[in-house]
Amino acid sequence: MDLFKRTSALQPIFANSHLASNISTESYIDVFHSLQMLSNGDTLVSELSLLEKLWASWYIYMNNDILATGILFFATHELMYFGRCLPWLIIDRISFFNKWKIQDEKIPSDKEQWECFKSVLKLHLFVEALPIWLFHPLCATLNISVDVPFPSYLVMFLQICLFFVCEDFWHYWAHRLFHYGWLYKYIHKQHHRYAAPFGLTAEYAHPVEVMSLGFGTVGFPIIYAYIAKYQPSLDLPSLHLFTLSFWITLRLFQAVDSHSGYDFPWSLHNILPFWAGADHHDDHHHYFIGNYASSFRWIDYFMGTESGEIAKANREKRMKRRAEIQSKKTQ
């Protein structure tokens, strides 16, 4: 097949007749093996990592960027979400781990797990699938790249850190809003069906809530890409679809883990005290209020919305100290 006529955005990489004539496109494996063999004779291909070759092979084989991105994004979401839920489902069935269960008297039943799984799967298929499949045209408009090589590790790390902070800020305020009046009664209450959460409940929510809170995950990368394209004076590194995919994977892991209901000695918040973790979000489900942030603890701390008995006692101590200081100033 003439690769010069391919529609993939990776075409410029293969603007070389030698490459074009030596790549078999009969199957995805054929494309990948062709790139592997070309590594010995072509400098450009030899500099690609294994992951970059796998990525490039997918887009070359599909020969349709919209379809390639849609399948890649949807498959990544499903595999990462349910794949991360699976270990927690197994742990819930092993009594040895109950010692680390935060609400150890509330182990989800098989029926609860099954009902939650069906609800979340329907949400993925009928609410989230369409935006995922239509994402590539937006990528093309905002110069979100699918090319290889990938950006440097430093660029990806800094972009993902930025997305974590922005998403946490958005999640705090949107989540807090969902706890008011009719928004809670008709929308957010569904997510609070389980006072003791388990992994699958991370995306067990009303479609309006899923789309609203989901903006924090996808919306800020889109805003970043828009600024990078239309404000060139800022000299922001462009966004790559691999970076976005990796960020969404990390966000899914964070959401599932925070709903796991387990707090182990090696849990991340015991290493990074500012990380929220399962104990932080479990208190939110247990007390139905407070701890609105997703990834970090600092916004709830500064806004005085920490949840749980210990947090309540700490707030009262801080209020007492402020009152004492104010009393001394007025004397």
Side-chain angles (χ1 to χ4, degrees):
M1 176 181 264
D2 185 2
L3 292 181
F4 293 106
K5 297 179 181 179
R6 302 187 69 82
T7 59
S8 171
L10 295 167
Q11 177 187 341
I13 295 176
F14 305 98
N16 177 303
S17 59
H18 173 69
L19 286 176
S21 61
N22 283 280
I23 294 182
S24 171
T25 57
E26 292 183 4
S27 71
Y28 172 72
I29 300 299
D30 286 337
V31 175
F32 176 70
H33 284 328
S34 295
L35 285 181
Q36 288 284 71
M37 289 187 291
L38 286 170
S39 297
N40 298 324
D42 186 272
T43 304
L44 181 61
V45 179
S46 65
E47 292 177 350
L48 298 179
S49 67
L50 175 61
L51 187 57
E52 288 168 335
K53 290 174 186 174
L54 290 168
W55 178 279
S57 298
W58 171 250
Y59 276 90
I60 296 167
Y61 170 67
M62 290 301 296
N63 194 25
N64 183 315
D65 291 346
I66 295 176
L67 192 60
T69 299
I71 294 175
L72 178 68
F73 242 46
F74 187 74
T76 298
H77 183 272
E78 299 308 287
L79 289 172
M80 294 301 105
Y81 182 79
F82 291 115
R84 187 59 189 143
C85 288
L86 182 59
W88 297 118
L89 190 150
I90 295 171
I91 286 172
D92 278 331
R93 306 273 72 82
I94 302 174
S95 59
F96 171 77
F97 293 102
N98 288 356
K99 67 181 80 173
W100 292 296
K101 178 74 172 172
I102 299 169
Q103 299 184 54
D104 58 355
E105 74 286 356
K106 297 180 180 179
I107 305 296
S109 66
D110 291 340
K111 182 180 179 180
E112 287 177 318
Q113 297 268 16
W114 176 243
E115 291 298 323
C116 186
F117 169 77
K118 290 191 294 183
S119 179
V120 170
L121 184 60
K122 283 190 282 188
L123 189 73
H124 289 181
L125 293 174
F126 299 112
V127 177
E128 299 182 11
L130 184 60
I132 288 175
W133 282 97
L134 297 178
F135 191 67
H136 186 82
L138 183 62
C139 290
T141 301
L142 296 178
N143 292 345
I144 298 177
S145 175
V146 299
D147 295 340
V148 289
F150 297 152
S152 69
Y153 291 128
L154 178 60
V155 167
M156 290 192 285
F157 173 76
L158 293 176
Q159 288 174 337
I160 289 172
C161 286
L162 174 64
F163 299 155
F164 260 116
V165 172
C166 291
E167 189 282 331
D168 189 66
F169 181 83
W170 172 268
H171 193 101
Y172 175 87
W173 290 106
H175 188 187
R176 188 172 178 178
L177 182 63
F178 275 122
H179 273 264
Y180 283 95
W182 66 270
L183 286 174
Y184 180 83
K185 182 178 180 180
Y186 295 107
I187 298 177
H188 190 53
K189 189 175 181 180
Q190 176 179 333
H191 184 66
H192 277 274
R193 174 181 175 181
Y194 303 101
F198 49 93
L200 281 168
T201 62
E203 290 191 353
Y204 178 80
H206 191 282
V208 172
E209 179 177 349
V210 170
M211 300 304 289
S212 300
L213 296 182
F215 175 83
T217 302
V218 180
F220 284 105
I222 290 173
I223 292 172
Y224 174 92
Y226 180 89
I227 295 173
K229 178 179 180 179
Y230 292 104
Q231 297 295 328
S233 60
L234 297 177
D235 199 25
L236 291 175
S238 61
L239 182 62
H240 197 283
L241 191 62
F242 176 79
T243 308
L244 186 53
S245 301
F246 191 55
W247 148 242
I248 291 174
T249 296
L250 293 176
R251 175 70 180 99
L252 287 172
F253 282 10
Q254 179 277 323
V256 172
D257 287 359
S258 69
H259 286 82
S260 68
Y262 289 87
D263 186 21
F264 296 107
W266 55 86
S267 293
L268 187 56
H269 81 92
N270 291 318
I271 302 171
L272 300 176
F274 57 83
W275 186 255
D279 70 316
H280 182 268
H281 196 67
D282 208 278
D283 276 345
H284 173 77
H285 277 262
H286 183 70
Y287 295 100
F288 292 92
I289 195 168
N291 287 4
Y292 300 112
S294 56
S295 299
F296 307 113
R297 296 174 183 257
W298 47 54
I299 301 182
D300 281 295
Y301 176 82
F302 287 115
M303 297 303 297
T305 53
E306 292 176 295
S307 183
E309 294 299 323
I310 296 176
K312 179 182 177 182
N314 289 336
R315 280 198 302 272
E316 290 174 348
K317 288 180 181 179
R318 291 198 298 269
M319 291 173 64
K320 183 178 179 181
R321 283 199 300 269
R322 284 197 293 266
E324 290 174 350
I325 293 173
Q326 188 64 31
S327 176
K328 290 179 181 179
K329 287 182 178 179
T330 56
Q331 288 178 358

